[in-house]
Amino acid sequence: KLLKNFFRLGKVSESWMYDNVTGDIRLDYLTGQFDLEKQKPIIDSIKGEVTIKDAKIRFHNNAKTVDTNKLKIKYKNDNLSFNLENPIYNNSRLYGSEINIKNLSSLKNGEVNVLIKSDSLLNDDILEILKAYKINLPLFQKSGKLDSSLHIKIPYQLSKKMHFDGIFKLNNADLKLNDFEFFAKKADIVLKDSVVTISNSELKHKDILSANLNLEINTKDSTASGEAKINSF
């Protein structure tokens, strides 16, 4: 925070730089050059590294904090990177997740990149994170295996759109699509901004229906279209 007195950033970057992370902070090193005439640091010269134990990270104001045993933060070439060790959101593991802020000091080009990975269920925890970013995924996983990766790009400028790229690979999973319950031997769920696509799926509904389903869901207006190859009915 000593840097905060010398140069101000955009609202998004300042929240990540100064407010979104708490814990037992240790400054490993901070180097840079200071302009004595202008009485301010030369931003491009600054490099630093911080280690935070028992860290709490808030991805979004409408979501709970992500807890991690150790967090390593590095600043170099106007990029701020967060390396999370065994992060957990409520009861769900987010191992492999990371945060990177590109062009930290540029209001025009600054961008926060959040990568959320999980092998936990597509449950209330994961859906809560998505909902904080106004993604209403109509699926809920009750059991089975999941391998998911969600990349969120958040530009500093409000005039620019956020972008979402995610893939959720399901195996032997009991699912609910709103109130419709079914079993998925396998299914690939792809999220592209507001559109969710279900493909490569082998689904079964009780003892009534077995089918391969390809479905596209628009989460903005809650409409869906697609086709199913019925194997047994």
Side-chain angles (χ1 to χ4, degrees), residues 142-189:
K142 298 166 67 177
S143 65
K145 294 182 178 180
L146 171 73
D147 183 15
S148 66
S149 177
L150 174 65
H151 186 195
I152 306 171
K153 294 182 180 180
I154 310 166
Y156 286 0
Q157 293 183 339
L158 296 177
S159 59
K160 295 182 179 179
K161 291 183 178 180
M162 287 193 293
H163 290 287
F164 306 90
D165 286 288
I167 183 164
F168 306 84
K169 289 184 173 290
L170 295 157
N171 286 283
N172 297 321
D174 288 307
L175 297 164
K176 285 184 69 176
L177 178 61
N178 288 332
D179 292 327
F180 179 70
E181 296 189 14
F182 61 95
F183 172 80
K185 184 177 180 181
K186 67 173 185 176
D188 291 343
I189 301 171

Side-chain angles (χ1 to χ4, degrees), residues 15 32 47 97 105 111 125 136 159 173 177 181 194-195 204 213:
S15 63
K47 299 176 184 178
S97 298
S105 61
E111 181 181 80
D125 291 342
N136 295 306
S159 59
L177 178 61
E181 296 189 14
S194 61
V195 176
K204 185 178 180 181
L213 177 68

